Amino acid sequence: MDFETARAQFPALAQKTFLDAACVSLAPLVATDAIRTFLDVALQCPAASSTLHHISMDEMRAAARPAVARLINADEDEIALVESTSHGLTIAAQCIPLSAGDRVLLCDLEFLEVALPWMQLKQRGVEVDVVRTRGGRVTVEEFATRLTPKTKVIALSSVQWSNGFRCDLGAISSLAAENNTWLVVDGIQQLGAIPLDVKQTRIDFLACGGHKWLNSPFGTGFLYIRRDAWPKLQRPMTGYMSVVPPTGDWGAHFQNPAIQPVMDYRFLSGAPPCETGGTSNYAGAIALAASLKLVEELGANHIAQHIYRITDHLIAGLRSVGVELVTPVEREHRSGIVTFSVGSATENTQLMQKLLEQKILVSVRYTSNVGGVRVSCHYFNNVADIDRLLVAVESAVQRTARAAK
């Protein structure tokens, strides 16, 4: 599949220039079609019994797990399907055995959800340390200087949401491993745009929602949990699907008069037991699997190269217009996000509103005074989208300059 064919999967692009995948992305036709097919199943119950109907829906949902595993080169049993990045990060915080006096290290550019699960643990005596970044960059040196013997967790985003800076995750991974520190990564602003291989980069937990660069805005994401970490973890939740299934199937088990609720259950190992353990978001997982099939057909590396090409074009155009580039330009630190500024936060918001009036969808985002107008360039975008944005930005900048005279 080529990128123009993939673009046809997003009919909304005929009416608007959508450059905001970093907020909530568009869904492709294959995802919405997959949901319609599932809804027909839910409507009709084609199975011979409702028990078999339930089992069939469980199997349809489970198809997302191997698709996610292929995306990050993980094993299938290292993947838990969760509702969002927030859900995954919260599970990670509850799984890791932390005690009073233990410390968590994160940086000042993070989206608040990277901090919230650890802030909640403050009532147990867990403390949070913050690395103050410089120039919108998250470096391994900054983290290394703040590590102490009490630091048990490094939590960070692989790509920062406000300026698109992509950290050297390999170096930070090595730092965490050398210091026997858990590494918890928010991957939502990277995955689907720039590849990440968990067999090459050692990560203990990787959380990612489906509603941004994976193009599945239906309340499903995933949590990767590294196999070697399993024996050390605390189980955060459980349900009947978290235990080893009985001989036969659950339907036959529930027909046995002798079963009782209090038994010596054997719990499953791996990441799936960190899911709800019961009825889940079937439609969301089914859509996620369909969206990931598009990513596979395009090829993760081809997607990254396409994104680099159009962001190169965007960066060159923004430089010619004369606005301030907030995003670092080196490819090794780039993602699909390019952030720029025309002045104050108020001026950036005013520009965003002018762009929205022209159906050019972008955002304004800040953390710790780093940010500006955020442009998200995905595989369904092309050079024409970027040129339309550049023309609109240049026109707005020129009008502002004339008004100032």
Side-chain angles (χ1 to χ4, degrees):
M1 179 181 290
D2 60 29
F3 290 106
E4 282 306 308
T5 302
R7 185 178 170 90
Q9 282 284 321
F10 300 87
L13 298 176
Q15 290 83 40
K16 60 191 67 177
T17 302
F18 190 89
L19 293 164
D20 209 4
C23 182
V24 177
S25 194
L26 299 171
L29 289 171
V30 290
T32 55
D33 288 346
I35 290 178
R36 289 189 185 96
T37 299
F38 166 74
L39 291 178
D40 285 340
V41 171
L43 185 68
Q44 300 294 339
C45 183
S49 71
S50 56
T51 298
L52 293 175
H53 178 53
H54 197 306
I55 292 171
S56 174
M57 291 192 295
D58 289 336
E59 292 172 348
M60 293 172 72
R61 172 184 177 271
R65 197 175 292 116
V68 168
R70 291 190 297 272
L71 176 73
I72 61 172
N73 194 24
D75 295 328
E76 187 177 334
D77 58 357
E78 294 178 304
I79 303 298
L81 299 178
V82 297
E83 290 192 0
S84 62
T85 313
S86 301
H87 187 194
L89 293 174
T90 300
I91 290 172
Q94 296 298 321
C95 278
I96 295 173
L98 296 175
S99 304
D102 290 341
R103 308 189 78 83
V104 177
L105 187 60
L106 51 83
C107 82
D108 62 355
L109 290 183
E110 297 293 353
F111 182 63
L112 76 165
E113 184 51 46
V114 177
L116 285 175
W118 315 106
M119 299 299 291
Q120 184 170 261
L121 296 183
K122 291 189 75 173
Q123 61 188 0
R124 286 168 30 190
V126 175
E127 295 297 328
V128 177
D129 295 327
V130 180
V131 171
R132 303 298 173 186
T133 55
R134 299 178 183 178
R137 294 171 178 263
V138 182
T139 67
V140 66
E141 292 80 11
E142 290 168 329
F143 275 89
T145 60
R146 295 297 304 277
L147 280 175
T148 74
K150 290 286 189 178
T151 305
K152 303 301 180 183
V153 178
I154 293 176
L156 82 161
S157 298
S158 59
V159 169
Q160 292 301 326
W161 74 305
S162 61
N163 70 342
F165 177 83
R166 180 161 58 94
C167 69
D168 185 346
L169 195 56
I172 293 175
S173 170
S174 297
L175 176 70
E178 291 163 4
N179 288 273
N180 196 28
T181 302
W182 295 91
L183 179 59
V184 179
V185 176
D186 176 343
I188 196 169
Q189 296 293 6
Q190 175 170 347
L191 295 172
I194 308 298
L196 174 57
D197 186 331
V198 295
K199 291 211 169 28
Q200 293 182 359
T201 305
R202 181 185 182 275
I203 300 168
D204 295 304
F205 293 85
L206 174 64
C208 181
H211 67 284
K212 297 184 188 291
W213 302 90
L214 299 181
N215 303 310
S216 182
F218 303 106
T220 297
F222 70 88
L223 175 66
Y224 159 81
I225 306 176
R226 187 172 61 86
R227 181 180 303 278
D228 292 347
W230 299 348
K232 306 172 187 176
L233 302 178
Q234 302 170 154
R235 190 180 303 278
M237 62 184 72
T238 192
Y240 82 95
M241 295 183 71
S242 304
V243 304
V244 175
T247 303
D249 59 36
W250 283 109
H253 178 73
F254 293 147
Q255 294 166 13
N256 180 356
I259 64 171
Q260 298 182 30
V262 179
M263 300 170 58
D264 290 329
Y265 294 105
R266 290 187 300 125
F267 290 92
L268 294 167
S269 63
C274 289
E275 298 174 4
T276 60
T279 304
S280 304
N281 183 357
Y282 297 114
I286 289 165
L288 178 62
S291 294
L292 287 174
K293 187 176 180 181
L294 262 184
V295 173
E296 286 191 66
E297 290 177 356
L298 287 167
N301 289 322
H302 288 147
I303 289 172
Q305 291 306 313
H306 176 76
I307 289 173
Y308 286 140
R309 283 193 295 271
I310 60 176
T311 52
D312 283 344
H313 184 69
L314 173 59
I315 288 169
L318 291 172
R319 280 173 162 166
S320 68
V321 171
V323 300
E324 176 193 357
L325 274 171
V326 177
T327 298
V329 298
E330 308 96 316
R331 276 199 177 187
E332 65 267 25
H333 292 306
R334 288 240 302 278
S335 61
I337 295 173
V338 176
T339 301
F340 69 94
S341 176
V342 295
S344 67
T346 298
E347 290 169 314
N348 286 327
T349 302
Q350 289 172 344
L351 173 59
M352 178 193 71
Q353 291 297 336
K354 290 174 183 176
L355 294 173
L356 294 178
E357 290 167 6
Q358 299 174 61
K359 295 187 177 181
I360 302 173
L361 274 63
V362 298
S363 294
V364 169
R365 296 290 188 268
Y366 285 94
T367 305
S368 299
N369 296 308
V370 174
V373 181
R374 188 184 68 183
V375 183
S376 309
C377 304
H378 207 359
Y379 68 72
F380 51 66
N381 293 121
N382 56 25
V383 170
D385 291 335
I386 304 305
D387 286 342
R388 184 162 185 249
L389 169 70
L390 290 170
V391 168
V393 171
E394 183 174 23
S395 176
V397 168
Q398 290 175 347
R399 284 197 303 270
T400 301
R402 287 196 297 269
K405 291 182 179 179

